[in-house]
Amino acid sequence: MEGEKRPPQGPPNEGLFADGHLVLWTLCSVLLPVFITFWCSLQRSRRQPHRKDIFRKSKHGWQDTDLFSQPTYCCVCAQHILQGAFCDCCGLRVDDGCVKKADKRFPCKEIMLKNDSRALDVMPHHWIRGNVPLCSYCVVCKQQCGSQPKLCDYRCIWCQKTVHDECMKNSLKNEKCDFGEFRNIIIPPSYLTSINQMRKDKKTDYEVLASKLGKQWAPLIILANSRSGTNMGEGLLGEFRILLNPVQVFDVTKTPPIKALQLCTLLPYYSARVLVCGGDGTVGWVLDAVDEMKIKGQEKYIPQVAVLPLGTGNDLSNTLGWGTGYAGEIPVAQVLRNVMEADGIKLDRWKVQVTNKGYYNLRKSKEFTMNNYFSVGPDALMALNFHAHREKAPSLFSSRILNKAVYLFYGTKDCLVQECKDLNKKVELELDGERVELPDLEGIIVLNIGYWGGGCRLWEGMGDETYPLARHDDGLLEVVGVYGSFHCAQIQVKLANPFRIGQAHTVRVVWDRKTQEVIDDPLAEDIGASVPCQDQLPAPYPAWEGGMVPYLYGSFKSQLPG
């Protein structure tokens, strides 16, 4: 209406001024964290050379941290700290400026006793004050420890017992340490001291020495890959060193498994166990080292093997009942309990012989070991591409979700390109000496275990047809075919069945030399391998004994040549 009055309007620049304030505060909220992160990184890089020099000369296993995961107090100055350094062997935590003082004041865990006259049953407690684990209780009064907001209470770095300041007595300080809950899997420092003395005296009767530790003593060796899967290996190494003797814990990226497993030769026959923390490739690497021990005549020292899964596929551990993956959902102490309670089971391991056809071939035959499966076709091509890119930039492949996304990318690409088309015209397949006619396939998969492709029951498919379950200890291989990458995806989500070719004790694949250039690269990953020549799988090796736990996971690496 013309007679109505309009409300008064402010200056035209007032709206722009408010928008400018909004933009300014938005920029501040975004740039301030970036600036703080950059400043912290700059400060860390400045003190890093000096810190590395101190850490290298120290007897402690110091590690840097920008933020402790729980309220923490410096063991030297008793001040509350947010960042600093901690020892991943004894659990000592200090401020940046107190590292040198802590080195002089506090000894770390002793791998071997300095005084070799000490008996096996005279190991005293090693107490450290403060920063006790959450929800820990005093062994004297049974009340909760570490509840006060200050540096208080004690923890033994061997048996993990905790005690209040006021409950600590001289008798408790001098009390014998029994190594606590994990005494049956810890290698005591005094045992290694006695072994060292026996070797000087040229004695090898370790059974008598071990009998003092009890019949249940079955020491555990940890082999962890700090680069596997989700990159959890580095943190797990420290947690295992705190609970066990640090000499039992190895990073396979620094100490190869064949060297680490020589510790088994210092233990009684058939007593050792190994916990492999890693993915399929890591477990295969360890099993190859076990085979080398057989070649060296060390059969009596071969350990049982358990798996803590840190990889992407983890099909073997899933087959054996360890689950589909470990992401820290249960504490490391529970992992050790699972290993202690595990039973031994058998696993078929197959010999893969690769030879070239022809009478005048000068190349020697090659033999490898297969634990999971191998394949010729699109799934092998996907794994090959994934492996090649991970080798170029391993830091980018630190997440299971990201790794599976990369597999999805290469699977989608193969759906369009179809590099393995008409595979049935390029290979000949024999099961137990009888040739099998193949339909129009793009891939052939030979299975030793029940799971394939990151958790898919390939042989059973959708489960709508009655087929005998695939087993890992029946001396049989299951052979199936796939029609392409899209068919593989359908099988994994239970929308299709594979083409079941049959079961056999011996599988022979002959590759046509005229088409050898189609797939001519090796693969040593968890999905399978492409083999451009004649492959033969005879009867399995003597079954491998593995200590399996009803929760964890990990699978073995199939090694096949190019």
Side-chain angles (χ1 to χ4, degrees), residues 360-392:
Y360 303 102
N361 178 42
L362 300 179
R363 291 180 60 183
K364 295 182 179 179
S365 300
K366 296 181 180 180
E367 289 187 0
F368 298 89
T369 304
M370 186 191 77
N371 305 294
N372 287 13
Y373 37 72
F374 79 84
S375 69
V376 180
D379 60 327
L381 185 60
M382 283 186 282
L384 177 61
N385 290 328
F386 175 85
H387 174 72
H389 283 79
R390 186 169 64 173
E391 288 294 305
K392 293 179 182 178

Side-chain angles (χ1 to χ4, degrees), residues 272-318:
R273 290 186 176 188
V274 171
L275 176 61
V276 183
C277 308
D280 299 350
T282 306
V283 182
W285 192 8
V286 173
L287 290 181
D288 288 343
V290 171
D291 289 338
E292 289 188 43
M293 292 180 67
K294 294 180 183 178
I295 295 174
K296 292 180 179 179
Q298 299 174 343
E299 292 89 350
K300 296 181 179 180
Y301 300 104
I302 288 177
Q304 293 182 327
V305 181
V307 182
L308 179 65
L310 302 179
T312 303
N314 314 308
D315 289 311
L316 180 59
S317 62
N318 201 5

Side-chain angles (χ1 to χ4, degrees), residues 406-536:
V406 175
Y407 274 115
L408 176 63
F409 168 77
Y410 285 117
T412 306
K413 176 185 174 183
D414 187 69
C415 286
L416 302 175
V417 179
Q418 291 185 313
E419 295 186 44
C420 304
K421 189 177 180 181
D422 296 329
L423 183 70
N424 57 301
K425 300 178 182 178
K426 304 168 186 175
V427 298
E428 295 179 4
L429 178 66
E430 294 180 6
L431 302 184
D432 290 335
E434 296 184 6
R435 183 173 175 178
V436 178
E437 293 295 330
L438 299 174
D440 188 12
L441 297 175
E442 288 192 19
I444 299 172
I445 303 171
V446 181
L447 299 159
N448 179 45
I449 60 177
Y451 286 94
W452 162 88
C456 172
R457 296 288 302 189
L458 184 60
W459 178 252
E460 291 83 8
M462 296 188 296
D464 56 345
E465 301 175 25
T466 56
Y467 278 89
L469 294 177
R471 293 183 55 86
H472 53 271
D473 58 355
D474 57 358
L476 287 173
L477 292 166
E478 288 75 33
V479 185
V480 301
V482 293
Y483 298 109
S485 298
F486 187 69
H487 186 211
C488 291
Q490 288 179 309
I491 293 172
Q492 289 188 319
V493 296
K494 294 188 180 297
L495 291 178
N497 286 321
F499 177 76
R500 299 177 182 87
I501 299 175
Q503 292 179 304
H505 299 279
T506 303
V507 177
R508 187 167 179 261
V509 181
V510 181
W511 189 267
D512 186 359
R513 297 179 66 89
K514 296 180 181 179
T515 57
Q516 184 168 341
E517 70 276 7
V518 176
I519 304 176
D520 61 353
D521 287 323
L523 177 66
E525 281 300 308
D526 53 347
I527 298 300
S530 55
V531 187
C533 45
Q534 176 178 322
D535 304 22
Q536 190 170 0

Side-chain angles (χ1 to χ4, degrees), residues 401 424 555:
I401 296 177
N424 57 301
S555 68

Side-chain angles (χ1 to χ4, degrees), residues 151-167:
L151 187 74
C152 62
D153 304 337
Y154 289 87
R155 174 182 62 90
C156 176
I157 62 176
W158 284 107
C159 64
Q160 310 304 320
K161 292 178 180 178
T162 55
V163 61
H164 289 124
D165 290 334
E166 55 271 17
C167 296

